[in-house]
Amino acid sequence: SAVISQKPSRDICQRGTSLTIQCQVDSQVTMMFWYRQQPGQSLTLIATANQGSEATYESGFVIDKFPISRPNLTFSTLTVSNMSPEDSSIYLCSVEADRVGGYTFGSGTRLTVV
Amino acid sequence: QQQVKQSPQSLIVQKGGISIINCAYENTAFDYFPWYQQFPGKGPALLIAIRPDVSEKKEGRFTISFNKSAKQFSLHIMDSQPGDSATYFCAASKGYSTLTFGKGTMLLVSP
């Protein structure tokens, strides 16, 4: 299955600033997914990113807050904009694995907003 | 509305024992049910998955039991080991759509 490199692995950011998280995959994939995992909680899908088109956002997530880029078939970025402490979470990117229906996840970016 | 309910929230099992985690779903259109294992500081990793045409699937010490009529499925970890200590998530999807995750179970296997 695909190997995902996600950067940064963790960061501490000031309220009101923005952070861009990078996700690099070692093979070409059609769709990439961004998830949020709040402390001790489950994974919530933020958006689906297809190369060459605008990302599709889930209910409760908007492009102004979480802009996503997908410039090619192996790379995507998620920006967390105008951060508040409520944005403190682990952010994970994911791609569909070789097995139909299975997904591979990156190691995540642990974000703390102070 | 939570579509996949997972229990228990946490679980402590002695080494060598059986760990059992349960999930229930609401959407009868779901047709793919994976379990993910997550260690601290890592992303979730696919552990085992099942489709509703079978009632059980076993891979090594890990078994999924599936009850379509009850809309429930469970993960059994036989001969649990300290290295199995992790958070386990059940999930469900329809076709090739994105996954809906349960809230997770933190498993601790005591030596």
Side-chain angles (χ1 to χ4, degrees), chain A residues 31 33 35 37 40-43 45 48 58 90 92 96 99-108 110, chain B residues 32 34 36 38 41-48 51 59 89 93 95-99 101-104:
Chain A
M31 292 191 291
F33 307 90
Y35 285 83
Q37 185 177 21
Q41 299 296 314
S42 186
L43 289 81
L45 181 65
T48 301
E58 297 299 305
I90 299 172
L92 297 144
E96 196 164 5
R99 280 184 279 181
V100 171
Y103 292 84
T104 299
F105 287 83
S107 291
R110 183 179 295 271
Chain B
Y32 176 71
Y36 283 81
Q38 185 178 29
K42 300 293 185 183
L46 179 63
L47 187 62
I48 186 172
R51 294 197 180 271
E59 291 185 1
F89 293 94
S93 70
Y96 304 145
S97 66
T98 54
L99 294 167
F101 285 87
K103 290 198 170 187

Side-chain angles (χ1 to χ4, degrees), chain A residues 4-56:
Chain A
I4 300 175
S5 299
Q6 194 173 331
K7 296 191 291 188
S9 59
R10 59 178 63 228
D11 207 341
I12 301 173
C13 300
Q14 294 292 321
R15 180 195 301 254
T17 62
S18 297
L19 176 72
T20 296
I21 302 167
Q22 299 180 4
C23 182
Q24 179 75 51
V25 189
D26 68 345
S27 59
Q28 293 185 341
V29 293
T30 303
M31 292 191 291
M32 297 178 74
F33 307 90
W34 288 98
Y35 285 83
R36 182 175 72 183
Q37 185 177 21
Q38 293 178 304
Q41 299 296 314
S42 186
L43 289 81
T44 302
L45 181 65
I46 297 171
T48 301
N50 287 332
Q51 192 268 333
S53 62
E54 285 213 1
T56 302

Side-chain angles (χ1 to χ4, degrees), chain B residues 3-18:
Chain B
Q3 295 194 52
V4 179
K5 295 183 179 180
Q6 184 173 346
S7 63
Q9 186 174 3
S10 62
L11 181 63
I12 299 175
V13 173
Q14 286 201 331
K15 179 182 176 181
I18 302 174

Side-chain angles (χ1 to χ4, degrees), chain B:
Chain B
Q1 178 187 9
Q2 184 188 356
Q3 295 194 52
V4 179
K5 295 183 179 180
Q6 184 173 346
S7 63
Q9 186 174 3
S10 62
L11 181 63
I12 299 175
V13 173
Q14 286 201 331
K15 179 182 176 181
I18 302 174
S19 303
I20 302 175
I21 305 171
N22 300 299
C23 282
Y25 62 98
E26 299 167 5
N27 187 346
T28 55
F30 285 149
D31 61 2
Y32 176 71
F33 303 91
W35 285 90
Y36 283 81
Q37 179 188 56
Q38 185 178 29
F39 293 106
K42 300 293 185 183
L46 179 63
L47 187 62
I48 186 172
I50 197 168
R51 294 197 180 271
D53 52 340
V54 296
S55 61
E56 186 175 282
K57 183 174 181 179
K58 184 176 181 178
E59 291 185 1
R61 296 184 294 110
F62 300 93
T63 300
I64 298 179
S65 297
F66 183 80
N67 186 329
K68 187 174 182 178
S69 61
K71 293 187 289 183
Q72 295 176 346
F73 58 110
S74 60
L75 175 70
H76 293 62
I77 305 174
M78 313 301 287
D79 186 27
S80 298
Q81 300 296 311
D84 297 329
S85 298
T87 300
Y88 292 81
F89 293 94
C90 64
S93 70
K94 173 188 173 183
Y96 304 145
S97 66
T98 54
L99 294 167
T100 299
F101 285 87
K103 290 198 170 187
T105 297
M106 192 176 299
L107 170 66
L108 176 63
V109 181
S110 59

